[in-house]
Amino acid sequence: TQYLGWQDCFWFLLIHGVIIYILTWQFSETLKTPQSLQPMYLLGNYINLLKNSDLIIFSLIAGLSSILLYSFSAAAPIYSEVTLHLSPSSYGYWNILNMAAMCCGALLCSKLLEYVEAKKILVISLFLKIPCFISLVFLYFSHTPTAIWFFLTTMALYFFTSFVFATATFFATNASDDKANGSSMMSFVFLVSAMLSVIIIGYLPFSILAAFIIILVTTYVFIMLISMKSSLYK
């Protein structure tokens, strides 16, 4: 954005998309029984999947990850420029911390799953996000906000989020025998969650950091209450 221009981001994304498409040919076909692609048949499958409480709840928990990613992408550049006075390139360098944390978290989670129960990893990761929220609140009320404070906090959020996403999607995809449509429903739930969070951030009458915190904390509490109610019911 700083050295070439924001339009060039789309050329980069085009190249990235082509590479990803080519790599999909490395996967083998897993479909055993052909399924109809008639719209009414697909709609019936999706309606049945909406009745699967485990699928919806774990998809919502996975949605916490997409809410963080999309809300951060919307709010962090504005906060970095207006409050932290960072250039686009400086913001990009700082943001490498978040990307590295997510990659490291995903790799570590895959190893931990060999020794620790997935549900235990999920619960611990969810609770470890709370200190990150508290840090963001203190940052908001601080008179001397710094880039290192903000990005170290979000780095920790991204790290724990990678554990939440990996385990929640594991449970969501295994909640239904219909893997293809179940995966589609899961993606629909957490992408709608992300879309709504970004829209709401734009309309909240607060500073961009306050709106970011409110979205993260509110959705976290809401989804946790739904999850706990479902667990107690069962």
Side-chain angles (χ1 to χ4, degrees), residues 73-93:
S73 297
I78 300 172
Y79 177 73
S80 297
E81 181 181 359
V82 174
T83 304
L84 301 178
H85 307 295
L86 297 179
S87 65
S89 60
S90 296
Y91 167 78
Y93 292 132

Side-chain angles (χ1 to χ4, degrees), residues 45-53 55-56 185 188-189:
N45 284 340
Y46 288 140
I47 291 173
N48 288 331
L49 288 168
L50 284 171
K51 301 174 184 177
N52 188 329
S53 60
L55 172 64
I56 300 303
M185 179 58 68
F188 173 78
V189 169

